[in-house]
Amino acid sequence: MKCLFPLLMLITILHTQAQKHVTKTGTISFEGSVETFQPIKATNESTTVVLDNKGNLAALVLIKGFRFPVALMQEHFNENYMESDDFPKATLRGKFENYNSFVSNGIAQTLQFIGTLEMHGIKKELEIPIELTYTATGYKLLAEFKLNPSDYNIDIPSIVSKKIADKITVVVKAVMTE
């Protein structure tokens, strides 16, 4: 018991030194539309995003949380493409490459993020620019990037492949507070 108390104190001190900014209401939207066909887009407004004071970033989104304008699209997305019962979430973990140069002055700055996106049971390294701003209310994050469904073993049947873009545009927005 004597050894346990100092260990607990050390863990508590280390935990409080790693200041974290969090949101559970981040937004991820995607669009895979092509001209002349019905728009294919959805939004999830309950994404968890965490940023610590060392520039580590993590995000988690539940796949069934994406909302489509057409209910049938949502059903096909969850059952046929994302298989969300088997792969219920997507996670992003990584670090801002140049976080130590970030200035907390209320002006948006673009930082390079290097991390791993795990989706549909596949982990892929990615590197994306993310706009980050520190304001009185916390950190604002904005990112836009493209993903290829085949990189994550998401099969698009040939019968609908002409109706879905080869690259899906993903937009992430979050405001994280302490």
Side-chain angles (χ1 to χ4, degrees):
M1 190 66 160
K2 289 180 184 179
C3 294
L4 185 59
F5 182 74
L7 180 62
L8 289 173
M9 288 298 293
L10 178 61
I11 290 170
T12 303
I13 290 168
L14 290 174
H15 180 70
T16 57
Q17 287 178 347
Q19 185 180 20
K20 293 182 179 139
H21 300 272
V22 180
T23 186
K24 291 183 181 183
T25 58
T27 300
I28 294 181
S29 57
F30 68 83
E31 184 164 359
S33 303
V34 293
E35 286 188 36
T36 72
F37 289 105
Q38 188 171 21
I40 298 171
K41 56 185 175 181
T43 302
N44 185 320
E45 296 179 343
S46 57
T47 302
T48 300
V49 183
V50 179
L51 173 66
D52 73 12
N53 61 344
K54 298 194 186 304
N56 296 301
L57 181 77
L60 176 125
V61 61
L62 297 177
I63 301 302
K64 285 188 177 181
F66 282 99
R67 298 292 172 242
F68 288 75
V70 177
L72 187 58
M73 280 186 187
Q74 189 165 323
E75 183 180 327
H76 287 300
F77 172 78
N78 282 305
E79 292 177 8
N80 302 333
Y81 302 113
M82 294 302 290
E83 302 170 289
S84 55
D85 285 337
D86 296 329
F87 307 106
K89 63 185 176 185
T91 59
L92 177 70
R93 291 186 181 102
K95 185 174 179 100
F96 286 106
E97 185 176 64
N98 46 352
Y99 187 77
N100 58 349
S101 66
F102 179 72
V103 181
S104 304
N105 60 3
I107 297 173
Q109 297 162 65
T110 300
L111 302 175
Q112 201 61 24
F113 175 81
I114 299 172
T116 303
L117 174 61
E118 183 175 359
M119 179 172 62
H120 202 248
I122 305 293
K123 288 183 181 180
K124 293 289 255 184
E125 297 292 318
L126 59 94
E127 190 171 325
I128 54 174
I130 295 180
E131 186 178 282
L132 195 62
T133 310
Y134 183 77
T135 67
T137 58
Y139 285 89
K140 290 168 69 174
L141 177 145
L142 175 63
E144 183 173 325
F145 55 97
K146 294 189 182 286
L147 294 176
N148 186 342
S150 64
D151 288 346
Y152 295 91
N153 287 345
I154 299 169
D155 294 323
I156 309 295
S158 60
I159 195 164
V160 294
S161 65
K162 300 287 186 221
K163 298 178 181 181
I164 300 173
D166 293 334
K167 298 268 186 185
I168 307 300
T169 301
V170 179
V171 177
V172 181
K173 296 177 184 177
V175 176
M176 298 157 288
T177 58
E178 282 187 54

